[in-house]
Amino acid sequence: MHYCQRCDDPIVMAPQDDLAVCPDCGATEQARRLPLFVVTGASASGKTAVFPHLVAALTDCVVFDVDWLIGPFQRACEFGEVDWPALRDAWLTIAHGAAQSARPTVLLGPFTEAQLDELPSRRWITDIHFAALDCADDVRAARLNARARWREREIDRHNAFAAYLRATVPTLIRTDDGTPHESANRLATWVNTHLA
Ligand SMILES: [Zn+2]
């Protein structure tokens, strides 16, 4: 978030092209805005498996697994309940930070367009592009059941979220067949097409 460094009160600045502008005094500072790429998907759709391959395929971007902030947010929240909108907003802020180094951000996480559109940091990003990793429900159930015992297995809930994404996200990448490397290459082509 950009606050005016000239005004005596903490005035939130507004985006204007690649600047942040104070609505009170007109002061400006650099605030490059770039698109954001979200690789969403229900649990066990293949996000974690794709991650290292996507990092290797997109060396001009920064690629994050959004789960990395869950632990810090649990510690920051008094009773361990994660404030999910705050966590999502933190990722938009990180993406805007990476944009200052001219790096587009790719987030791997189960986010939806509606969740991100309502966040305070949304206006510091230009377009947000969504692709969803997807697999058949029985494949997802088998993957969930094969996970470490401490992890949850709410298969019906994850399949319902997968159905929602299938109906709402225009770019679907199946992970039933093929390797994570192949899925990552398709995602990299999708990212690079939008950046070109
Ligand atoms: Zn000002």
Side-chain angles (χ1 to χ4, degrees), residues 4 100 133:
C4 182
Q100 305 321 298
L133 297 181

Side-chain angles (χ1 to χ4, degrees), residues 3-9 11 13 21-27:
Y3 290 95
C4 182
Q5 302 300 312
R6 190 195 286 172
C7 284
D8 290 330
D9 295 315
I11 306 294
M13 302 173 89
V21 182
C22 174
D24 274 22
C25 75

Side-chain angles (χ1 to χ4, degrees), residues 18-100:
D18 279 342
L19 294 174
V21 182
C22 174
D24 274 22
C25 75
T28 62
E29 62 186 44
Q30 286 296 315
R32 179 193 282 121
R33 293 189 299 156
L34 290 178
L36 170 67
F37 298 88
V38 176
V39 180
T40 188
S43 284
S45 57
K47 299 188 294 294
T48 305
V50 151
F51 176 78
H53 303 282
L54 198 56
V55 170
L58 287 172
T59 53
D60 291 336
C61 299
V62 286
V63 184
F64 295 107
D65 180 337
V66 303
D67 286 356
W68 291 348
L69 280 184
I70 292 176
F73 268 68
Q74 282 173 330
R75 291 194 292 279
C77 299
E78 189 178 1
F79 299 108
E81 289 294 323
V82 171
D83 181 335
W84 293 105
L87 184 145
R88 296 182 195 111
D89 201 49
W91 279 118
L92 295 188
T93 304
I94 290 167
H96 181 56
Q100 305 321 298

Side-chain angles (χ1 to χ4, degrees), residues 11-179:
I11 306 294
V12 176
M13 302 173 89
Q16 185 179 306
D17 300 323
D18 279 342
L19 294 174
V21 182
C22 174
D24 274 22
C25 75
T28 62
E29 62 186 44
Q30 286 296 315
R32 179 193 282 121
R33 293 189 299 156
L34 290 178
L36 170 67
F37 298 88
V38 176
V39 180
T40 188
S43 284
S45 57
K47 299 188 294 294
T48 305
V50 151
F51 176 78
H53 303 282
L54 198 56
V55 170
L58 287 172
T59 53
D60 291 336
C61 299
V62 286
V63 184
F64 295 107
D65 180 337
V66 303
D67 286 356
W68 291 348
L69 280 184
I70 292 176
F73 268 68
Q74 282 173 330
R75 291 194 292 279
C77 299
E78 189 178 1
F79 299 108
E81 289 294 323
V82 171
D83 181 335
W84 293 105
L87 184 145
R88 296 182 195 111
D89 201 49
W91 279 118
L92 295 188
T93 304
I94 290 167
H96 181 56
Q100 305 321 298
S101 298
R103 298 283 182 148
T105 294
V106 181
L107 299 178
L108 284 156
F111 294 168
T112 68
E113 189 170 7
Q115 288 169 342
L116 300 187
D117 275 348
E118 65 192 20
L119 297 173
S121 297
R122 171 65 185 87
R123 61 188 187 149
W124 296 103
I125 309 282
T126 56
D127 293 329
I128 303 184
H129 304 284
F130 280 81
L133 297 181
D134 195 19
C135 64
D137 286 355
D138 58 337
V139 171
R140 182 184 329 282
R143 289 175 181 173
L144 288 167
N145 283 324
R147 283 182 165 181
R149 292 175 63 90
W150 61 269
R151 300 188 65 179
E152 54 84 12
R153 292 177 167 71
E154 296 178 66
I155 292 170
D156 289 346
R157 185 168 67 86
H158 297 314
N159 280 342
F161 184 50
Y164 170 80
L165 294 175
R166 213 171 284 141
T168 56
V169 177
T171 302
L172 293 176
I173 293 181
R174 304 285 303 198
T175 64
D176 313 76
D177 310 313
T179 65

